C-alpha cells in the first residue's frame, strides 16, 4: 500500500510540474492579452508558493 501511495504521489507531482510548465509557456505567449498574462502570472505565483508552505498532500485548504 505504501508503494502505491508513493507512486500516486509521484504521478501527482509530475502532473503538477508539467502543468506549471504549460502555464509558464502561456504567460510567455505574445498573442495573449495583458489581462490574461496578469491572471496566469498570479495563478502561477500562487501555485509555486504552495511548495514553500510545506508539503502535506499537495492540497491546501482555502
Amino acid at each position: 500500500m505504501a508503494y502505491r501511495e508513493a507512486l500516486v504521489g509521484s504521478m501527482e507531482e509530475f502532473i503538477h510540474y508539467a502543468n506549471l510548465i504549460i502555464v509558464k509557456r502561456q504567460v510567455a505567449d505574445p498573442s495573449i492579452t495583458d489581462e490574461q498574462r496578469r491572471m496566469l502570472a498570479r495563478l502561477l505565483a500562487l501555485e509555486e508558493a504552495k511548495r514553500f508552505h510545506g508539503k502535506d498532500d499537495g492540497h491546501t485548504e482555502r
Side-chain angles (χ1 to χ4, degrees):
M1 185 77 164
Y3 174 75
R4 181 174 181 260
E5 290 172 0
L7 186 60
V8 169
S10 296
M11 181 58 75
E12 287 175 352
E13 288 178 28
F14 172 78
I15 291 169
H16 181 73
Y17 180 73
N19 286 337
L20 290 176
I21 291 171
I22 291 167
V23 173
K24 287 178 183 181
R25 288 180 181 154
Q26 290 175 330
V27 168
D29 184 349
S31 68
I32 67 171
T33 66
D34 288 339
E35 183 179 346
Q36 290 170 321
R37 186 171 285 106
R38 282 191 298 271
M39 182 203 56
L40 288 171
R42 181 178 141 304
L43 293 173
L44 182 61
L46 289 171
E47 281 301 311
E48 289 181 330
K50 287 180 183 179
R51 294 188 317 192
F52 299 107
H53 293 296
K55 289 189 171 187
D56 48 6
D57 64 348
H59 298 88
T60 58
E61 294 183 13
R62 296 172 195 215

